[in-house]
Every structure is written in C-alpha cells, then in structure tokens.
Amino acid sequence: LWLLFLVWLHCSRPREAALCGFAFGLGLFGTGASWVYVSLHDFGMMPAPLAAAATAFFCAYLALFPALAGSLQARLEVSPVAHSILLIPALWVISEWMRSWLLTGFPWLVMGYSQVDTPLAAYAPLAGLYGVSLMLAIASGSAAAAVVTPQKPWRIGLVALAASILLGGVLMRDLEWSHARGAPISVALIQGNIPQSLKFEPSQYASTLSTYRRLIESADAKLTILPETAIPRFLDLVDPAYLESLVDLARKRQADILAGAPYRNERGEYFNGVVNLGQSGLQFAAKTHLVTLGEFVPPEFKWILGVLRIPLSDFTAGTGTRLLNAAGERVAITVCYEDAFGEELITQLPEAGLLANLSNVAWFGDSLAPGQHLQISRMRALETARPMLRATNTGVTAIIDDRGHVTGQLPTFAEGVLQGSVQARAGTTPYVRVGNLIALIACAVLLLAALATLPRGTASRN
C-alpha cells in the first residue's frame, strides 16, 4: 500500500493518479477475486468467454474505487506531509467504506483484513475493520512521505509516527473488551465435503442426508452446527422422520443442532436460512444480505437466469432478528458472506454471546476465497470480542476465539467433525456501540486537517 501512496505522490495530474489507482485495483481484485470466474463457469455453467468477461468487468468495477481515491487526492495541493498522512489515508478508507455498501456492497479485500495477525489488529474492537485500515494507511503514508521528504527531522518524525501506530497496537492487544458468561460450551462443527457439482443433484440427496446424520451421531456436543444448505431441499419436502430423528438425538443429549437449510412460507417466499432442530425448540433465522445474481436477481437482470444454472437463485431476504437460542446461549447467525458486513452483524449484539457463520464456499473451488473468508470471520471476532464458529461444506471450518485466534480447524476438502469448547462472552466494544462511526469521523477530521494546510486562494488541479 505504501508503494501505491508513493506513486501517487509523484503523480502530477488527477487522471494519471486515477490510472495508477485503477491499475493497482485491477491487480488486487483481478488476483484476489479471481474465484468469481470459478463460481460462474465451473458451477454456474456460464460459457467460459462470458464468465471471463463478467469477472473482468466485476474486477474493473471494483478497481474504480482506488482510482477515485487517487483522482481526488491529486486534485488538492496540500502540503506534502499532510498529503501523505492526512489526505491520502482518509480518502483511501472512505473509498473502501463506499465499496462496502454501494450496489449492495462488496467489502472483500479491504486492506484492514491483511492485519489480523499484526499489532494493528488491536484497533479492531475500538474502530472496526476500517479503523484498522486507517491505521495501516496512515503508517503507509508516513513511510511514503519519509522517502520523498528531504528534511531529516521530518523523516525522523514520520518514521516515529508509523512506529507509534504499531506501538499503540502492541500496548492495546492485551486489553479485555468482554468477559466470560456462563460455563464453556462443547461444540461440534460438521464439514460434509459434498462436491458442489453434486450438491443439488437428486441422485445425491439421500447420500447427503446420510452423511450428515452419520457425522452428527459421531459427535457428542451441546451445540452442533452444519454448513449452509447442508439440507439441500426445502424443509417442507424433507422426510419428517429424518428431521424428527435429529430432534430426538439432540433432546437425548440435551443439545441443539443448527443446520443450514432453505425454507419457504405460505406466501411462496423462500429463504436461505438456519433451523434449530434441538432442545431449545424449532427456530428459524433467514439470511438478510443476499448475494446479487447468486441468491437475488434484480428485475432488470432476470434474463441471466437463462445463462446461469444456480439452484435456488432468487431467494427472499429475511427480516428481523437472526439471534437463535442454543446451548443456553444467544447465537448471532450469519450465512455465507454476510459476516463480511460488520455493521449488520453488530445489530445482534451485545445480546449474543457467540457468533456463528454457516457457509458453502465450495462455490469457489480450490481458490483464495476460503482463506479470505476465514480472515473475514477472524476480524468479526476481533471487532465484537466474541468467539466465532465457522461450519462450512468444504472449508475452512474453524473455531475462532474472542481475540481472533484460530484455536482449531479442519483441513479443506475433507469430510470431518471439528470438536472443541468455546466460552460465550458478554460486554460491548466501542465498535459494537457505534459501528463504523469512529473510523468515519477520524477520516473526516483528517480531511479537514489536510484542507487546513491549503494555501489561501489555491485552486484544485484538473
């Protein structure tokens, strides 16, 4: 990131800076989101040329955000130091934040995620993902400014600023933002490893149910979680005897089983959701943030259903709470990439003592997506100071503690059960209280401070 900022400092025109930002974005998203092609072509059956074009178009759209940041920063002739440590970091983070909600949002590959294993991760409970991204951007801007600033005292000060940001993270990493609530809970996370190409095939249906039944029976835990659409058929079409057998098993163990399953209501609306089949009683939680063109198709794009062959590709978004009672706790549920939207997740807090994400990343094959999604879940655990339980079809199935550390995980593309113990947490982090507001206010303050260094009568560059 600091190298991009350094390049921007040498760009004399907004158009030049925008092109540099666009090129950076193409590299970032063309590599990091290349798995979109796998989903469209390998499993959505879209013709290869059309899938490649759609992926390229999507990555080009995402690259517009760093291009916008580059263009805007080049239009203001503030002092060089203010440019690096105030203006560029603020515009960079604002562009990332805009990408998280514009056109339903795609907050994947935000730079803050790259810091989950560094001291900067300690800023997550305070200011969230974008606060971490801002700290990284300021440190990167300081490094870039130190390269181009001729005055030695300024260079020393800039290096000291970057070092102080890292030191702040080191000093904060042992802070306790939440406290234990209740006794530890035994958990079992089921990874069925059902091939995506067979998942919705009628001939595979009985085998899928049998696999999950066998894995559930092999694990004795107070809370068992199955992946997204583990039951690949509407619940009202599933043999009642099968569902009753799971309920009976859970009740004998005085336990709960959370399973991903599509279900529908009397109005014909159908939802991608989670059902509790345990002693806490029948409960449902519906996914509220649907994947555009994968789970939700806007009216103007209905034609694409004739090109893509994605089962259940026009869900209804759920409304209301997604909190489920399970194992004596309140569990905040996210399905698939919903946990990438931190401000949506925190609406279930501080009531929830645990976080759970049920996913089927098999849609993206053996790509970068499973590892990236694990990073995302770790950041949500950091922001909320809550453990995160990830049950996936093919990986990465993992238990994450309230500090974002992975305490257990299964190998990808392998059938298995991950058993462990988690401690529910209570308490509220600053991020849970106000969401992205702290990071956005900080960006606004940096922008105002940068504008204050503008010479009187200075016009912006074209």
Side-chain angles (χ1 to χ4, degrees), residues 129-255:
L129 168 65
Y130 298 103
V132 176
S133 206
L134 183 60
M135 293 298 102
L136 174 63
I138 294 174
S140 299
S142 299
V147 173
V148 300
T149 300
Q151 297 91 346
K152 186 175 181 179
W154 276 108
R155 289 204 303 271
I156 295 174
L158 290 165
V159 172
L161 174 60
S164 67
I165 290 173
L166 291 173
L167 180 60
V170 171
L171 295 175
M172 289 197 302
R173 66 184 174 186
D174 292 327
L175 289 178
E176 289 283 348
W177 296 100
S178 63
H179 57 273
R181 181 168 75 187
I185 300 169
S186 59
V187 298
L189 308 181
I190 308 296
Q191 184 169 292
N193 194 38
I194 308 299
Q196 187 60 41
S197 58
L198 301 176
K199 184 176 175 68
F200 293 99
E201 288 293 328
S203 60
Q204 176 71 23
Y205 175 69
S207 175
T208 296
L209 294 192
S210 176
T211 295
Y212 282 115
R213 171 66 186 263
R214 172 173 50 81
L215 293 174
I216 292 169
E217 290 176 339
S218 72
D220 187 2
K222 290 299 181 183
L223 178 58
T224 298
I225 306 179
L226 279 61
E228 176 188 15
T229 58
I231 301 174
R233 189 172 288 184
F234 288 123
L235 278 178
D236 59 288
L237 298 179
V238 178
D239 183 359
Y242 178 82
L243 298 177
E244 280 300 322
S245 70
L246 296 183
V247 172
D248 290 343
L249 176 62
R251 287 175 177 169
K252 287 178 183 177
R253 294 175 173 177
Q254 296 185 318

